[in-house]
Amino acid sequence: MKGLLRKEFLLLWAHCRVLLLIMAVFLVAAAAGHASAFILAYPVLLAGVVSVTLISYDERSGWNAYSAALPCTRAQLVTAKYALLLCCLACCLLLVGVGQGVRMALAGGVDWRALLTLLGLLAVLGAAAPAILLPIVFRLGAEKGRLAYYLVIIVFCVAAALGGDAVDVLWAISPIRLALPLLLCAVLLLLLSWRLSIRFYRRREL
């Protein structure tokens, strides 16, 4: 499993450095005070679909056929993709939290209720897209699942862009106890998606 995770991170660095740069630019913009819903949500969405993007590189390189000769199960191959997803989401949420915390502190004080609620909302948003996409891609493959990939990303980006000042509204009205249920929803979404992906990938002919 350790080797699979190392392979995923090497693949991430080799092929997704542009995505990492875009995420960094949006995170800096958000920390600088431009905390619109779209600017906050977009890097989290990108972090959420990194695993889906890497699956397409696996298929192009013939990794799926090669991995059948390795001493690892299909469940482990799927789990490595979800572990990478969790690492990317966690790092992105951590950076958003630090950036927004610093911005709030400079503006007069950190509103922990607002910050935790924001991170809970972003966690659900970041988990929802890959939770939908990964089982489809593991069932159909990256090429056949590409249409679903683009449709889901477009829908989520449009929703984030149309959110407008929704984040500010939620900061004003949402209690801190909303953050934990939101994080639990994100975890449950990913757990269900992980189980479905394992089931689909085991049945798929490579």
Side-chain angles (χ1 to χ4, degrees), residues 147-169:
L147 178 60
Y149 174 90
Y150 288 124
L151 285 176
V152 171
I153 296 305
I154 289 171
V155 168
F156 275 81
C157 286
V158 169
L162 294 178
D165 297 325
V167 172
D168 294 329
V169 174

Side-chain angles (χ1 to χ4, degrees), residues 12 26 45 49 55 112 132 144 157 159 166 168 177 182:
L12 172 66
F26 273 80
L45 286 172
V49 298
I55 290 175
W112 293 105
I132 296 170
K144 293 182 180 179
C157 286
D168 294 329
R177 63 176 178 270
L182 286 171

Side-chain angles (χ1 to χ4, degrees), residues 55 58-59 61-69 74 77 201 204 206:
I55 290 175
D58 283 345
E59 293 188 359
S61 65
W63 163 257
N64 290 340
Y66 176 74
S67 64
R74 293 197 181 188
L77 293 171
Y201 197 54
R204 181 180 160 195
L206 301 178

Side-chain angles (χ1 to χ4, degrees), residues 177-199:
R177 63 176 178 270
L178 185 60
L180 182 58
L182 286 171
L183 290 172
L184 288 176
C185 284
V187 171
L188 290 175
L189 276 173
L190 290 175
L191 282 175
L192 177 60
S193 174
W194 173 63
R195 293 302 303 171
L196 285 174
S197 293
I198 290 176
R199 179 177 297 180

Side-chain angles (χ1 to χ4, degrees), residues 4 42 45 48 51 70 86 91 98 100 105 118-119 123 131 139 149 156-157 159 169 172 186 199 202:
L4 289 175
Y42 192 65
L45 286 172
S51 291
L70 298 176
L86 289 175
C91 290
V98 171
Q100 293 305 301
L118 172 65
L119 292 178
R139 177 66 180 87
Y149 174 90
F156 275 81
C157 286
V169 174
R199 179 177 297 180
R202 280 174 174 168

Side-chain angles (χ1 to χ4, degrees), residues 1-7 71-72 75-81 83:
M1 192 65 190
K2 182 180 178 180
L4 289 175
L5 288 175
R6 183 179 180 185
K7 170 258 179 187
C72 58
Q76 289 175 322
L77 293 171
V78 172
T79 302
K81 285 290 189 290

